[in-house]
Amino acid sequence: MQKKQKSKYGLVWFTNNLRIHDNASLKQACENHQNVIAVYCFDPRHYRDTAFGFQKTGKFRAKFLLETVTDLKKNLATLGITLLVYHKKPETIIPDLIKEFSISDMYYQNEWTSEEQAVINELKRNIPHSVIFHTFYSQFLFHPEDLPFEVESVPRVFTDFRKRIEKTASIRPLIETKNESCTIIKKDTPIPTLWELGFEDFEQHSLTAFPFQGGETSALNRLEQYLFQNETIKTYKKTRNCLLGADYSSKFSPWLANGSISPKMIYWNVKKFEKLHTKNDSTYWLIFELIWRDFFKYVSLKYGNSIFRIHGILQQGYVWKQDWDLINEWIHAKTPEAFVNANMLELKQTGWMSNRGRQNVASYFAKTLNLDWRIGASYFESLLLDYDVHSNYGNWMYLSGVGNDPRNREFNVKLQAERYDPQETYQNLWLERTPI
Ligand code: FAD
């Protein structure tokens, strides 16, 4: 065990790990230092337009994030840690904090995608060499060090990946953080408002399938509700392709995406549920889906920026169009396909779309209309409450035939609608209420 450094502060930089439970950075900082402070930056670049003209973070995720950071601030205070919040670039504000508090060590979650890497590199350039960086992979279910293969050898096919890790790797226990020192610093930095991030305030849509708030507290409440209160998980495998309501699937993804719940927290609670109640194919299937999430993270770790390129990781040279009339018809729910339109309206009005819906609208965009899949992915990036760079680009590549599924498949949207919305209840809900 390292000795606590009495005079120096440790700084925890929060990014997509917005929780106090199962948080390796936080635990290590509290173990190593008498004084710990935390910082979160609403990076102005995250609220600007991206290359295809969509705002990188739209209003749904912005509001969810504000709720999340507000909750994190409260939760950190219970550990005696002050969260400083800024609406500034991290590489601008963190060097000032390092100076002001004579910070000796920084703790943060490892990120590898290009935009995040650029920020980290710039930050490192702006702070003294004496500052020690401690980085942790706490976004995975299976820790990278526990894989039975090197990252460069991650299997391209999901089933191979899953079978190999299920056979040999195990999930690490949850990390508990205690902080005994409790030195609250006298510095208050207000959390920006939605307006300051560039949005008008708005109410959650009354029909949303995601009627929850951002933050670790809501995430843990949902976990408790979905597993132990309602035992909805028992039928997950049967309901997960449905389209209506909050309970056909877990709805954990928005919290997972910004790290206000850890996948290990979900895993260990499913194990507890299996012990106390039932172990069946549904309880297994939720873990199975979390392995998909890990898979796309490892794919992105292995292939780097190829996940953002038009030919994807397969280097498939399909011909893609950038026809903005067709793209706008898709965005504004004016395609000839009612099922696509209903899903696109749900997304536009709530920031949510089911997995079944996402597969259909993405396949329609990329395989039926042959539109540049990166534009669809970029629109999702703006709108989705649960946007996660690895899952979003991984799934889009997959459905576009340039990712981990070499088959050049196209969904039959009409058949899908008949199968998953036989009474058209879902389509009626979104299409009747909103003039198209
Ligand atoms: P559940 O069905 O309850 O599954 C539990 C968890 O497993 C999810 O929360 C999620 O973390 C994981 N999971 C389930 N399916 C997938 C999958 N196909 N890929 C990766 N992880 C999965 N998911 C995101 O979290 N962020 C995204 O940006 C995203 N973009 C997508 C884009 C497209 C085109 C498609 C087809 C899928 C995308 N997904 C994305 C995956 C999936 O649709 C969502 O994770 C899921 O619908 C979230 O609902 P849930 O939490 O109720 O999932």
Side-chain angles (χ1 to χ4, degrees), residues 314-345:
L314 270 191
Q315 299 296 322
Q316 276 287 13
Y318 296 125
V319 176
W320 302 99
K321 291 185 292 192
Q322 292 200 0
D323 179 332
W324 281 93
D325 288 339
L326 288 177
I327 293 165
N328 280 320
E329 277 174 24
W330 179 79
I331 288 175
H332 299 298
K334 295 204 161 119
T335 77
E337 293 295 343
F339 191 54
V340 170
N341 295 345
N343 277 289
M344 293 306 292
L345 282 176

Side-chain angles (χ1 to χ4, degrees), residues 210 222 226 236 240 246 248-254 256-257 266 285-294 296 352-363 380-381 384-397 399:
F210 189 86
R222 173 63 181 170
Y226 190 72
Y236 169 70
R240 67 185 193 91
Y248 61 81
S249 64
S250 72
K251 303 295 192 294
F252 293 149
S253 56
L256 278 166
I266 299 174
W285 214 260
L286 194 73
I287 308 295
F288 176 96
E289 294 298 341
L290 287 176
I291 301 177
W292 267 108
R293 178 179 174 275
D294 261 23
F296 285 125
W352 181 263
M353 192 193 290
S354 69
N355 184 51
R356 184 53 45 189
R358 295 180 202 199
Q359 293 190 36
N360 274 279
V361 304
S363 173
F380 266 37
E381 175 171 353
L384 279 178
L385 272 165
D386 67 9
Y387 168 69
D388 167 278
V389 58
H390 321 287
S391 287
N392 191 51
Y393 283 85
N395 274 289
W396 269 95
M397 279 197 304
L399 285 154

Side-chain angles (χ1 to χ4, degrees), residues 46-105:
H46 294 177
Y47 302 88
R48 295 198 188 130
D49 288 354
T50 51
F52 295 115
F54 306 116
Q55 193 166 26
K56 189 171 174 59
T57 307
K59 65 175 185 177
F60 299 112
R61 203 163 66 254
K63 189 167 184 175
F64 192 76
L65 195 53
L66 285 168
E67 292 163 357
T68 305
V69 172
T70 306
D71 191 53
L72 178 67
K73 190 168 175 162
K74 269 193 225 139
N75 293 345
L76 281 168
T78 66
L79 292 174
I81 297 171
T82 306
L83 178 69
L84 302 172
V85 182
Y86 297 93
H87 184 195
K88 285 193 173 137
K89 293 180 188 169
E91 67 269 31
T92 310
I93 193 69
I94 291 178
D96 293 347
L97 294 175
I98 300 253
K99 221 183 203 170
E100 186 178 344
F101 294 97
S102 309
I103 282 160
S104 59
D105 298 62

Side-chain angles (χ1 to χ4, degrees), residues 59 62-64 66-67 193-196 198-204:
K59 65 175 185 177
K63 189 167 184 175
F64 192 76
L66 285 168
E67 292 163 357
T193 60
L194 197 56
W195 176 259
E196 283 163 341
F199 305 94
E200 304 254 345
D201 201 4
F202 64 95
E203 293 295 317
Q204 213 170 41

Side-chain angles (χ1 to χ4, degrees), residues 413-428:
V413 173
K414 281 198 176 45
L415 282 184
Q416 289 271 312
E418 278 167 25
R419 182 159 174 204
Y420 295 104
D421 190 26
Q423 313 298 324
E424 301 188 4
T425 323
Y426 172 79
Q427 290 165 84
N428 289 341

